[in-house]
Amino acid sequence: MWIKDEFNPNWKKYQKEYYEEQALKVEKEFLAASSVKEKELLGKRLTAMRYPLYEIKQILLKGDYSWEKKQNGIKVDRCMTCHIDEDKLKAKHSHTKELPFDVYGCTVCHGGNGRALSEESAHEGMYYHKRQMEQKLVVAEAMFDFWEELATLTPEETDPNERVEMGNFKKYSITGDKAIYVGSQKCLKCHTGLTSPHVERWMRIKFKTFDRVKEAPDYIAGNDAYRKTCLKCHTTGYDESTGKYSEEGVTCEACHGAGEVFSYFMDIGKAPEGQKIAKVGTYGTAFNICGPCHHTRNHEMRLKFFQEKNSPDEWFFPEHTRPYKTGLMEKKEASGPEPLPKIF
């Protein structure tokens, strides 16, 4: 039995099936090819498919894993040894297309034992489907553990060649899908009464920011690329890849994140658990969400536009910010506008 498992392991049959399927596809392409160069390239591929190298395939996962921490040495994910067809994997995970399998592997979402090579051991404790993964959400800590694992596995953001979308881990639910924006109306059903001063102020000022943006002369005159720079911060749930957003203005989920998970806890009567997640990224927590929009150089393109129009004030103090002007600024206004600063 040992010799059989050593020289003809179970995972090998999956790779044989895969390479046989690929060989048939490449053979059809080879027969249909017309040019000599194309036939030469397909011929090499066909040879590789007919005489493949059967081997254990694995991903070395980033992070500190050691015997001292009761973890089995360097953490690896060997799932693709059997699940070798990446095209099929991507088709089955269409909603998680942004998840780079070669960085995060499979066990980060599905659980199981990524080091094991037998089906029984590898699938032990595994969550097969989205419904099973969602059932892990009994307490907020399950979500935090998932985010912590994503943060551990995410490559260093300092290296521009290794930056990945998943680095912004709060945007993802327990299944690895992008969390769904539920809309501010769902939040306001309860919070209009529970946190009325905060809600009233935010609805009066921040919820209305995009109304002001649409009236701005530079937004009206700007092209699509110019307007997209405004949408990033003045809408909620903006997706750069599609150009779509959940709501206009800076609504609840702009700061608290997509409400799918914490609204789920609210709906099942576990408001304290939902509150834990809703507070992540807001004031007083380690992951501050304010910085990307409240950045000192975000309005430089507005400065350039209004310099050309010789309008020294509107670019910096649009109408919706006037309630925040201090007495000192009002005195300066009375003495006349100052020249615009130069962009270096």
Side-chain angles (χ1 to χ4, degrees):
M1 286 178 66
W2 178 84
I3 293 172
K4 177 180 175 294
D5 290 341
E6 184 69 21
F7 292 98
N8 193 29
N10 284 334
W11 55 261
K12 200 170 183 179
K13 70 178 182 181
Y14 296 106
Q15 294 196 11
K16 280 184 178 179
E17 289 174 6
Y18 170 74
Y19 288 120
E20 284 171 4
E21 288 177 7
Q22 294 302 308
L24 289 173
K25 289 180 182 178
V26 176
E27 187 175 3
K28 288 179 181 178
E29 292 177 19
F30 178 81
L31 294 173
S34 54
S35 69
V36 176
K37 188 175 182 180
E38 190 178 1
K39 277 188 174 291
E40 185 181 347
L41 291 172
L42 288 170
K44 290 179 180 179
R45 280 184 60 194
L46 187 58
T47 302
M49 294 297 116
R50 283 176 174 170
Y51 304 99
L53 175 63
Y54 301 112
E55 59 182 352
I56 294 171
K57 299 181 182 297
Q58 66 182 20
I59 298 170
L60 295 177
L61 300 174
K62 183 176 173 288
D64 183 19
Y65 304 95
S66 64
W67 286 103
E68 292 178 0
K69 296 183 179 181
K70 298 181 180 179
Q71 293 165 327
N72 196 11
I74 295 173
K75 191 173 181 182
V76 299
D77 195 309
R78 293 173 172 167
C79 302
M80 64 290 307
T81 299
C82 295
H83 299 279
I84 189 172
D85 194 335
E86 288 191 24
D87 291 333
K88 286 184 179 179
L89 282 176
K90 288 175 182 176
K92 288 182 178 180
H93 296 76
S94 57
H95 294 294
T96 53
K97 59 184 179 181
E98 293 179 356
L99 181 79
F101 296 109
D102 59 338
V103 174
Y104 296 97
C106 305
T107 54
V108 63
C109 291
H110 291 284
N113 182 359
R115 180 177 286 273
L117 289 169
S118 69
E119 186 174 350
E120 184 179 353
S121 299
H123 290 189
E124 185 178 355
M126 181 179 166
Y127 301 93
Y128 287 86
H129 307 295
K130 287 180 67 172
R131 176 60 65 183
Q132 291 178 327
M133 294 179 212
E134 288 166 354
Q135 288 172 352
K136 291 191 285 184
L137 287 175
V138 180
V139 293
E141 279 65 31
M143 197 72 245
F144 295 145
D145 289 343
F146 176 65
W147 282 340
E148 185 177 354
E149 182 71 356
L150 285 182
T152 300
L153 297 175
T154 297
E156 293 295 336
E157 293 292 330
T158 51
D159 185 347
N161 297 314
E162 292 190 327
R163 286 179 188 157
V164 289
E165 171 68 16
M166 292 294 289
N168 190 356
F169 52 88
K170 196 191 169 189
K171 291 167 65 175
Y172 296 86
S173 70
I174 197 77
T175 61
D177 299 305
K178 270 194 172 181
I180 297 169
Y181 285 84
V182 298
S184 59
Q185 291 306 309
K186 184 174 178 66
C187 310
L188 295 174
K189 283 180 182 178
C190 296
H191 285 279
T192 300
L194 292 172
T195 53
S196 53
H198 174 70
V199 170
E200 188 278 328
R201 177 179 175 274
W202 215 259
M203 287 183 69
R204 177 169 49 86
I205 299 172
K206 298 295 184 180
F207 275 36
K208 305 295 183 183
T209 59
F210 196 62
D211 294 339
R212 299 296 186 188
V213 170
K214 286 188 288 188
E215 295 172 359
D218 54 324
Y219 183 82
I220 295 169
N223 56 23
D224 287 342
Y226 187 94
R227 293 181 183 183
K228 282 180 180 179
T229 61
C230 307
L231 296 175
K232 290 178 186 177
C233 293
H234 291 282
T235 62
T236 300
Y238 177 69
D239 187 338
E240 287 190 63
S241 61
T242 63
K244 296 180 180 179
Y245 49 83
S246 172
E247 288 185 274
E248 294 183 353
V250 186
T251 64
C252 312
E253 293 168 290
C255 296
H256 293 287
E260 178 186 7
V261 177
F262 56 81
S263 67
Y264 159 77
F265 280 118
M266 303 290 185
D267 289 340
I268 64 172
K270 291 189 173 183
E273 299 300 319
Q275 188 181 51
K276 291 176 188 176
I277 296 174
K279 284 186 173 181
V280 174
T282 56
Y283 179 76
T285 59
F287 308 104
N288 197 302
I289 203 168
C290 309
C293 287
H294 289 274
H295 191 279
T296 55
R297 304 182 76 92
N298 271 2
H299 278 178
E300 282 189 345
M301 80 287 189
R302 301 202 73 205
L303 171 58
K304 183 178 179 181
F305 177 88
F306 285 106
Q307 275 180 328
E308 293 171 355
K309 299 293 182 181
N310 196 28
S311 178
D313 186 56
E314 174 61 21
W315 76 276
F316 193 71
F317 285 119
E319 189 175 341
H320 72 271
T321 64
R322 293 194 182 278
Y324 297 102
K325 284 190 177 183
T326 63
L328 179 62
M329 292 306 302
E330 288 172 358
K331 288 178 183 177
K332 285 186 177 181
E333 282 184 349
S335 63
E338 293 185 3
L340 288 171
K342 294 180 181 179
I343 299 178
F344 297 99

